[in-house]
Amino acid sequence: MPHIPFYLDDRPAYFGGFKRDYAESDFALFGVPFDGTSSYRPGSRFGPDAIREASANIETWSWRTGTDFEELRLHDLGNLAVVHGDAGETIRRVGDTVEDIVSTRKIPIMVGGEHLMTLGAAKAIKGCTFVSFDAHFDLRDEYLSNRLSHACVMRRVMEEEGKDRVIFCGVRATFGEELRWVKENGIKFMTSRDLLREGTKSSSSWLREALKGSEKVYITIDMDVIDPSYAPGVGNPEPEGIHPSLLLDMLQEVIDERVVGFDIVEVAPKYDMGITALLASKMIFEICTMMKRK
Amino acid sequence: MPHIPFYLDDRPAYFGGFKRDYAESDFALFGVPFDGTSSYRPGSRFGPDAIREASANIETWSWRTGTDFEELRLHDLGNLAVVHGDAGETIRRVGDTVEDIVSTRKIPIMVGGEHLMTLGAAKAIKGCTFVSFDAHFDLRDEYLSNRLSHACVMRRVMEEEGKDRVIFCGVRATFGEELRWVKENGIKFMTSRDLLREGTKSSSSWLREALKGSEKVYITIDMDVIDPSYAPGVGNPEPEGIHPSLLLDMLQEVIDERVVGFDIVEVAPKYDMGITALLASKMIFEICTMMKRK
Amino acid sequence: MPHIPFYLDDRPAYFGGFKRDYAESDFALFGVPFDGTSSYRPGSRFGPDAIREASANIETWSWRTGTDFEELRLHDLGNLAVVHGDAGETIRRVGDTVEDIVSTRKIPIMVGGEHLMTLGAAKAIKGCTFVSFDAHFDLRDEYLSNRLSHACVMRRVMEEEGKDRVIFCGVRATFGEELRWVKENGIKFMTSRDLLREGTKSSSSWLREALKGSEKVYITIDMDVIDPSYAPGVGNPEPEGIHPSLLLDMLQEVIDERVVGFDIVEVAPKYDMGITALLASKMIFEICTMMKRK
Amino acid sequence: MPHIPFYLDDRPAYFGGFKRDYAESDFALFGVPFDGTSSYRPGSRFGPDAIREASANIETWSWRTGTDFEELRLHDLGNLAVVHGDAGETIRRVGDTVEDIVSTRKIPIMVGGEHLMTLGAAKAIKGCTFVSFDAHFDLRDEYLSNRLSHACVMRRVMEEEGKDRVIFCGVRATFGEELRWVKENGIKFMTSRDLLREGTKSSSSWLREALKGSEKVYITIDMDVIDPSYAPGVGNPEPEGIHPSLLLDMLQEVIDERVVGFDIVEVAPKYDMGITALLASKMIFEICTMMKRK
Amino acid sequence: MPHIPFYLDDRPAYFGGFKRDYAESDFALFGVPFDGTSSYRPGSRFGPDAIREASANIETWSWRTGTDFEELRLHDLGNLAVVHGDAGETIRRVGDTVEDIVSTRKIPIMVGGEHLMTLGAAKAIKGCTFVSFDAHFDLRDEYLSNRLSHACVMRRVMEEEGKDRVIFCGVRATFGEELRWVKENGIKFMTSRDLLREGTKSSSSWLREALKGSEKVYITIDMDVIDPSYAPGVGNPEPEGIHPSLLLDMLQEVIDERVVGFDIVEVAPKYDMGITALLASKMIFEICTMMKRK
Amino acid sequence: MPHIPFYLDDRPAYFGGFKRDYAESDFALFGVPFDGTSSYRPGSRFGPDAIREASANIETWSWRTGTDFEELRLHDLGNLAVVHGDAGETIRRVGDTVEDIVSTRKIPIMVGGEHLMTLGAAKAIKGCTFVSFDAHFDLRDEYLSNRLSHACVMRRVMEEEGKDRVIFCGVRATFGEELRWVKENGIKFMTSRDLLREGTKSSSSWLREALKGSEKVYITIDMDVIDPSYAPGVGNPEPEGIHPSLLLDMLQEVIDERVVGFDIVEVAPKYDMGITALLASKMIFEICTMMKRK
């Protein structure tokens, strides 16, 4: 067996209830129970375990892809040993873990934890275009005296890969200065209102077009992109979001063999009674079957 | 007065706040506070009382039917004396109660409690087609070593009446083996996605067609057929469900004098802060006015 | 500085986190933490502070109007010193406060608290047409032996201004007797079902038409007009409501310089985990930018 | 059957699960779901039903008195039809109800609801000494512009009966001005600290002494007299209270045939997960058996 | 390695966070997530996992015994695969599991789940005296038509071993008929009041005396023996209980090499916010160090 | 007015509801809403605001000291602008703030937030003995790869002032290695069990003795020193703690003019429904009156 990821805590975990050997798996899922920079409603540290628990209690058939998730080969590495109070070190560990997973030719699935953790993936996977499904741009240069904040993550990702390598879908919460920066720098985005007005077909075309020329694609899903009625259990709920089927239908149109990994972040299970974690686990099921199919 | 139902516990209860003599009523409602086989999120035992409390706090006008629920004649029998830990005996009591109600020419309305309780109705009302609004098929032959489980109820109902006597609407959670069995046995169903795509008109036509030739119809509504955004307080919430108006509009199209009874099950009020029980009580109001009108 | 409003309690408060001098402001917001006549689910007294807290944690850009809320001039007067157990006196204080605000040429924004408080605004602002977004008519003559009840507020407002001076949008919960009175008196209304069927464009036209001839308009929004999936945290949730975007899109079409004030009432934050207060604060942001724009 | 109490709402209710005819009963219990003047944590309106539910789920044996509560004759009249938002009228109804009960030679047991309701009992039962177990004196002359407030109830009671006719046990929350008034007027009290230091024996002696010469005694128990560790679910929890056994042991020493009624008020069940309502129902069981024994 | 226990579900679990091989361990802990006969507040099925989570977040030193729990050898077998809705079969599996553990010379520790599960241990370990720390006798012959109910468990245990082989400590909730039976049959018990009055020393002497002549002792702790202020998260909280230190001090006096196993049952974690599960896990730590010491 | 503290966020706040000018005050209170290194149950960031809200709803008389808190002069500086995710910088800001307060001859009162924040006070006030009321020693050298963790705070404080300058009261949660270090280094401590056995008098004597020779004393109170029955809302609840009156009685015996400041930390209000914050605010009232008296 090849070198396997560092920094895992030693509690075993089985997403979906399934046990696969790492060596025989196609997907390697890991949780990052870190929410240290959350400024409003902390608690995404409890996301990974809540999503796992939900995943063991839903059915496995994907109607979109005609596949049973049970047939896929996913290994759950458990949770990363995060350093509470040290975001930088935790990001480094995420990066090392993603690097290890990729080096063994598995597809990494990161379950947050806060959105800042996506920066770890960005540091590990080079030459990639990031598709960010998020209600927010997260493009502040610093937030509350902090450059390593959830509100800055996409700015930091851009510093790794370039401003044209991040595409935003479903964004709707911003402020004048950030939006000016977005426009001045020609950042590509569709708001949630755009997505709803255009519908799956047209929105997917736009995104496929935007991804032309990219050789690798990484998808990061902040659960707050979904409307709070479907996903109330997030750190920063924002009204007027999209519904889950629109997101999944778009992904089905867009996902192809260029997708090298994905993450789902910002589920804060203390702020609802279970439906957000259930939705997140269902989304992981669906996305995995999309990646298999193709 | 004729022989009246057995096995009721002796707490008085008034759905909607109304008191009618049993003898003068058209509908006889009873609760079944049983959730003994729940494997994921128990608590539907608290459903009947939560739905009654909600029913006393909403208005009574039905815009769909132009009727005031207050004008209907419904008697609330209170709750069944269930045997916690003995599903078989509890089902038998449900059956006896439904039989008693039907024998006195009232329309039974059962408020769950878990979906398994519908088997009691199936044992009592023979020669009936069952329309199941449910996110799940509940067609496992056994579940966690148990043939009398909520996950098996429709399989057991089919054993009473035949595989062609159950029609599924809004189903979306299954697994490969169950779906194969469904297809091999020619079970009639529309998924939630089908319903949403086809819309009320077309979906209702399909259902009316599927009911052709049936002399009696029983409607069973597992609240998880509704999307978790509208009905988070259920035992097994499943994303990508239908909205309540679609369900009620379909029922309005389909309900006719062949409908001999209905149930609403799986409301688990500890998993939200009231909206699921409110919706369930509103649905009972609406369905009763539909049954009266015709 | 001119005479400023009476009866405020002395806790400072900053809606949106912004501090403006009263003298330099265009909008004057105040909370009314009163829920004394609530009969079902009390707790709207906690609405004003929950909405303020939410308002400090969301972004400020309005895509509808292309304005940053931060650019507006809003002064938060804090909460009214209500008299728990004395609805009449509290209404009088609301009236005096609104009168003071209007006399200093600011636009009053009242944050409830229960809907009955709108009667205070009606007493202060004469010659006005009221647009009520509410799931209920609130047109009972008395409720539970009480003429000053949330269930009677619009009847009392009509006694101030005339039956033709209240227009209802999104209504859906009523009972036979109230609906007969509504029809006999030619009250103008669109149900939630009407709004959903007609859509923004057509509904807005109807409302603009209904407002023809009015010289002043006051908008009162009972959060229960919104569907419980989006706004579960209200005193009287009612299924089959409208979605928030429909409400805001209508308002954008309708709001013009005749609008002299508005309120948002009935947020009861103990009945959800934050999303209703967030939505209410976002709605205040949006409505203010609409009023500025024109 | 004699004239029976007015103003009850029409929901049947069975404290302890027992049904007795009013005519054959010794005790007549009724709930007062009113919390209109609560200024901090409202919700005692939900107290009566929570206490009833708890009462049906605990055992009935009293070790103190060697009696089974089931042997007592208690009739549950259900809840008073309160007027939310009109404290004065609600107090009047309490008074009438207590008067009716007493006139039929039953012992009234009032279950609150807020402490202000005790004023109704004081108006109905003349010539009585009141023993108040409460963390607070409730002796303000007015509170937040209101003379009919929970914080003023004992001042109002004194106006009915005289300053020497109220005795305070377990008091610990006050402020300088109130305490000066207490001392200047020679009000009799023991603080919680006094009770804990003196113990049951000595404290009971003091109370028996203080009651010498009284011909009738009414006991009013604000649940906040108990330490918040045992009774967190109250409107105004106050640290450093007494434990429930001390209270019950004192009552056992003191209760004799002069006791004409009692109440338990201020249980606010939303502020815990059941233990305060359970304790209150157990206390009612115990106190009734004490009153029977003698 | 010897034959190891059947019927475990396959999720790994590590009480206290420690991993020991089964073969090298002295204690074998397993969870029984079953609450099928709970009649009041179900949810003890969630007890085992809540207790494990708590156990990983508390410190390990025992001041009573001067031992670090970490030095003990405990293997966590995980949870039993219970059959929801079939108490009899689940008890049989508990019995088989305890038998297996005992046959491999480990000490079984069962974590409930409901108290009925103790019957499984009684069937597996013969010739044993049971010490029951419980607020209730659980000696009904049947409860709600059910002989296999939590309210009957000690009656069933007596049928296995004899009426003199069960000793009750801390009992306080009963009813006349049960208490008569207890007295007629000479059952040994101390009430919570007895324990509090006598104190640790004297109570322990009584218990040691009562255990004279017993060759094997099994200790069963229903968490409701503890006062609800310390342990609110149980199925049937009962006021006027004992404090945790009294229970642990007594156990330290009494536990000797005759103790062959113990269980802690009825923790229902949804009814508090963590302190009951924390206490239960601490009690397991303490009891294990007591059993080691001797 | 002298130079005043840096780094405050700009929301006004009034502990106890009182407003005093800074210049005229004796006490300067500030909140530190930081919980970044919390490893088990985060949420103490919400402590300061919850404690303030509670403080405005309790009475002000102190029976221990015969003083009304309202007569004291306390200024509430509001909350520190913490840097989420950067414990070191946040500690530095605490230090600067304490230094500023002390330099203007006010007594600093810090309201946490997590216990690590006490390190800021230690850095600002030199030559001080620290009395730590805490269930834990917090003497790890590092915890989860982090030297700036709540579990290490007293080790860091000792590095500032010396091992003999920290005295522990009420400690009960530790592990073998830490306890060995404590003993080898002659650290002074009394366990909760010691305090309970010795009682107020004797425990206070010990503490006064231990403080002999100290010129300045700083008191830090981690709310988990209190038993979880009284203070369930903390980050790390630990069974078998002390009761609040014991703590306050000891403080009354010990506090003299050498006390230069104090803090109360680790209140996590999401883990109860209010009683822990209420107790903390009462403790601040009591302690301030003790400091005034002398």
Side-chain angles (χ1 to χ4, degrees), chain B residues 191-220:
Chain B
T191 64
S192 56
R193 203 168 177 89
D194 294 337
L195 295 178
L196 289 164
R197 193 186 48 234
E198 299 292 326
T200 306
K201 277 252 128 72
S202 168
S203 302
S204 309
S205 298
W206 176 86
L207 181 52
R208 271 198 310 266
E209 191 64 34
L211 286 171
K212 263 197 188 150
S214 297
E215 284 175 16
K216 289 195 254 177
V217 174
Y218 182 93
I219 296 167
T220 177

Side-chain angles (χ1 to χ4, degrees), chain A residues 28-32 94 98 107-112 114-121 218 220 261-265 284:
Chain A
L29 180 148
F30 67 104
V32 186
V94 169
V98 170
I107 294 169
I109 304 173
M110 182 174 74
V111 180
E114 57 166 280
H115 207 172
L116 180 60
M117 296 300 104
T118 300
L119 182 54
Y218 182 93
T220 177
F262 71 93
D263 62 50
I264 292 190
V265 298
I284 296 172

Side-chain angles (χ1 to χ4, degrees), chain A:
Chain A
M1 188 168 124
H3 173 67
I4 56 153
F6 298 133
Y7 295 126
L8 298 170
D9 77 6
D10 55 0
R11 292 185 312 127
Y14 299 104
F15 180 80
F18 305 114
K19 295 179 190 167
R20 305 276 179 189
D21 278 350
Y22 183 78
E24 290 167 12
S25 67
D26 295 323
F27 299 91
L29 180 148
F30 67 104
V32 186
F34 184 88
D35 58 7
T37 82
S38 299
S39 45
Y40 179 28
R41 311 203 309 183
S44 63
R45 70 168 66 183
F46 301 115
D49 287 348
I51 290 170
R52 275 193 194 93
E53 193 199 329
S55 73
N57 285 289
I58 53 173
E59 303 288 5
T60 49
W61 183 257
S62 164
W63 295 88
R64 272 187 186 79
T65 58
T67 316
D68 196 310
F69 178 74
E70 194 171 355
E71 295 162 20
L72 270 60
R73 289 186 297 258
L74 181 148
H75 178 87
D76 186 340
L77 288 161
N79 285 343
L80 194 76
V82 305
V83 184
H84 289 303
D86 191 339
E89 171 63 14
T90 305
I91 290 166
R92 205 182 59 75
R93 293 182 182 193
V94 169
D96 283 0
T97 303
V98 170
E99 211 173 289
D100 286 336
I101 293 171
V102 170
S103 76
T104 53
R105 296 171 194 245
K106 316 299 183 199
I107 294 169
I109 304 173
M110 182 174 74
V111 180
E114 57 166 280
H115 207 172
L116 180 60
M117 296 300 104
T118 300
L119 182 54
K123 287 176 181 289
I125 312 180
K126 293 297 178 187
C128 212
T129 301
F130 284 76
V131 181
S132 175
F133 286 89
D134 192 340
H136 309 81
F137 284 114
D138 293 342
L139 283 171
R140 278 172 165 93
D141 193 39
E142 76 165 46
Y143 185 59
L144 302 177
S145 329
N146 195 354
R147 284 174 51 88
L148 283 183
S149 161
H150 64 98
C152 312
V153 57
M154 285 302 143
R155 189 73 171 259
R156 294 295 91 74
V157 170
M158 285 180 175
E159 290 165 3
E160 296 288 324
E161 292 286 337
K163 289 174 189 160
D164 57 333
R165 303 306 283 269
V166 183
I167 304 169
F168 296 91
C169 296
V171 75
R172 58 194 182 276
T174 186
F175 53 106
E177 188 191 326
E178 189 182 49
L179 188 57
R180 269 189 299 281
W181 191 92
V182 161
K183 289 183 172 168
E184 285 164 15
N185 287 280
I187 308 300
K188 284 176 255 183
F189 69 90
M190 285 187 85
T191 65
S192 56
R193 203 167 176 90
D194 294 336
L195 295 178
L196 289 164
R197 192 186 49 233
E198 299 293 325
T200 306
K201 276 256 130 70
S202 168
S203 302
S204 309
S205 297
W206 176 86
L207 181 52
R208 270 199 311 265
E209 191 64 33
L211 285 172
K212 262 195 189 154
S214 296
E215 286 176 14
K216 289 196 256 176
V217 174
Y218 182 93
I219 297 167
T220 177
I221 302 171
D222 183 324
M223 278 297 279
D224 66 24
V225 74
I226 304 289
D227 192 86
S229 56
Y230 301 93
V234 296
N236 291 281
E238 177 71 28
E240 305 201 82
I242 61 173
H243 27 90
S245 301
L246 173 55
L247 172 59
L248 290 170
D249 291 351
M250 273 188 75
L251 288 176
Q252 193 186 11
E253 292 295 317
V254 167
I255 285 177
D256 57 24
E257 67 291 342
R258 293 177 299 171
V259 178
V260 295
F262 71 93
D263 62 50
I264 292 190
V265 298
E266 295 286 354
V267 172
K270 305 273 181 194
Y271 290 98
D272 74 0
M273 285 150 166
I275 65 170
T276 310
L278 272 163
L279 178 56
S281 67
K282 191 76 177 184
M283 284 163 60
I284 296 172
F285 280 22
E286 288 285 303
I287 296 172
C288 287
T289 60
M290 291 171 198
M291 295 181 75
K292 189 222 175 188
R293 204 188 36 156
K294 300 184 181 184

Side-chain angles (χ1 to χ4, degrees), chain D residues 14 24 40 64 100 106 125 143 181 191 217 237-238 263 272 294:
Chain D
Y14 298 104
E24 291 166 13
Y40 179 28
R64 271 187 187 77
D100 286 335
K106 315 299 182 199
I125 312 179
Y143 184 59
W181 190 91
T191 65
V217 175
E238 177 70 27
D263 63 49
D272 74 359
K294 300 183 181 187

Side-chain angles (χ1 to χ4, degrees), chain B residues 60-72 252 285-286 288-290 292-293, chain C residues 174-177 179-180 183 193:
Chain B
T60 49
W61 183 258
S62 163
W63 294 89
R64 271 187 187 79
T65 58
T67 316
D68 196 310
F69 178 75
E70 195 171 355
E71 295 162 21
L72 270 61
Q252 194 186 11
F285 280 22
E286 288 284 304
C288 287
T289 59
M290 292 171 198
K292 189 223 175 187
R293 204 188 37 158
Chain C
T174 185
F175 53 105
E177 189 191 325
L179 188 57
R180 268 190 300 280
K183 289 184 172 166
R193 203 168 176 88

Side-chain angles (χ1 to χ4, degrees), chain D:
Chain D
M1 190 168 121
H3 173 67
I4 57 152
F6 298 133
Y7 294 126
L8 298 170
D9 78 6
D10 54 0
R11 291 185 312 127
Y14 298 104
F15 180 80
F18 305 113
K19 295 179 190 168
R20 306 274 180 190
D21 278 350
Y22 183 78
E24 291 166 13
S25 67
D26 296 322
F27 298 92
L29 180 147
F30 68 105
V32 186
F34 185 87
D35 58 7
T37 82
S38 298
S39 46
Y40 179 28
R41 309 201 312 181
S44 62
R45 70 168 68 184
F46 301 114
D49 287 348
I51 290 170
R52 276 193 194 94
E53 193 200 329
S55 74
N57 285 289
I58 53 174
E59 304 287 5
T60 49
W61 184 257
S62 164
W63 294 89
R64 271 187 187 77
T65 58
T67 317
D68 196 310
F69 177 75
E70 195 171 353
E71 294 163 20
L72 272 60
R73 290 186 296 259
L74 182 147
H75 177 86
D76 186 340
L77 289 161
N79 286 343
L80 195 75
V82 305
V83 184
H84 289 301
D86 191 340
E89 170 63 15
T90 305
I91 290 166
R92 206 181 59 75
R93 294 181 180 192
V94 169
D96 283 1
T97 302
V98 170
E99 212 173 286
D100 286 335
I101 292 171
V102 170
S103 76
T104 54
R105 296 170 195 247
K106 315 299 182 199
I107 295 169
I109 304 172
M110 182 175 71
V111 180
E114 57 166 282
H115 207 172
L116 179 60
M117 296 301 104
T118 299
L119 182 54
K123 287 176 180 289
I125 312 179
K126 293 296 179 188
C128 211
T129 301
F130 284 76
V131 181
S132 175
F133 286 91
D134 192 340
H136 310 81
F137 284 113
D138 293 342
L139 283 171
R140 278 172 164 93
D141 193 38
E142 77 165 45
Y143 184 59
L144 302 177
S145 330
N146 196 354
R147 283 173 54 87
L148 283 183
S149 161
H150 65 97
C152 311
V153 58
M154 285 301 143
R155 189 73 171 259
R156 296 293 92 75
V157 170
M158 285 179 174
E159 291 166 2
E160 297 287 326
E161 293 285 337
K163 288 175 190 159
D164 59 332
R165 302 306 282 271
V166 183
I167 303 169
F168 296 91
C169 296
V171 76
R172 57 196 183 277
T174 185
F175 53 105
E177 189 191 326
E178 189 182 48
L179 188 57
R180 269 189 299 280
W181 190 91
V182 161
K183 289 183 172 168
E184 285 165 14
N185 287 280
I187 308 299
K188 284 177 256 183
F189 69 90
M190 286 186 86
T191 65
S192 56
R193 201 166 177 90
D194 293 337
L195 295 178
L196 289 164
R197 193 187 49 235
E198 298 294 326
T200 305
K201 278 252 128 71
S202 169
S203 302
S204 309
S205 298
W206 175 86
L207 182 51
R208 271 198 310 266
E209 191 64 33
L211 285 172
K212 263 196 188 151
S214 296
E215 285 175 15
K216 288 195 256 176
V217 175
Y218 182 92
I219 296 167
T220 178
I221 301 171
D222 183 324
M223 278 296 280
D224 66 23
V225 75
I226 305 289
D227 191 87
S229 57
Y230 300 94
V234 296
N236 291 280
E238 177 70 27
E240 305 202 82
I242 62 174
H243 27 90
S245 301
L246 173 55
L247 172 59
L248 290 170
D249 290 351
M250 274 188 73
L251 288 175
Q252 194 186 12
E253 293 295 317
V254 168
I255 285 176
D256 58 23
E257 67 292 342
R258 293 177 300 171
V259 178
V260 296
F262 71 94
D263 63 49
I264 292 192
V265 298
E266 294 287 354
V267 172
K270 305 272 181 195
Y271 289 99
D272 74 359
M273 285 151 165
I275 66 172
T276 310
L278 272 164
L279 178 57
S281 67
K282 191 76 179 184
M283 284 163 58
I284 296 172
F285 280 22
E286 289 284 304
I287 296 172
C288 287
T289 60
M290 291 172 199
M291 295 182 75
K292 189 224 175 185
R293 204 187 35 156
K294 300 183 181 187

Side-chain angles (χ1 to χ4, degrees), chain B residues 63-64 68 245 249 273 282, chain C residues 41 172 176 193 238 240:
Chain B
W63 294 89
R64 271 187 187 79
D68 196 310
S245 302
D249 290 351
M273 285 150 166
K282 191 75 178 184
Chain C
R41 311 201 311 181
R172 57 194 182 277
R193 203 168 176 88
E238 176 70 28
E240 306 200 81

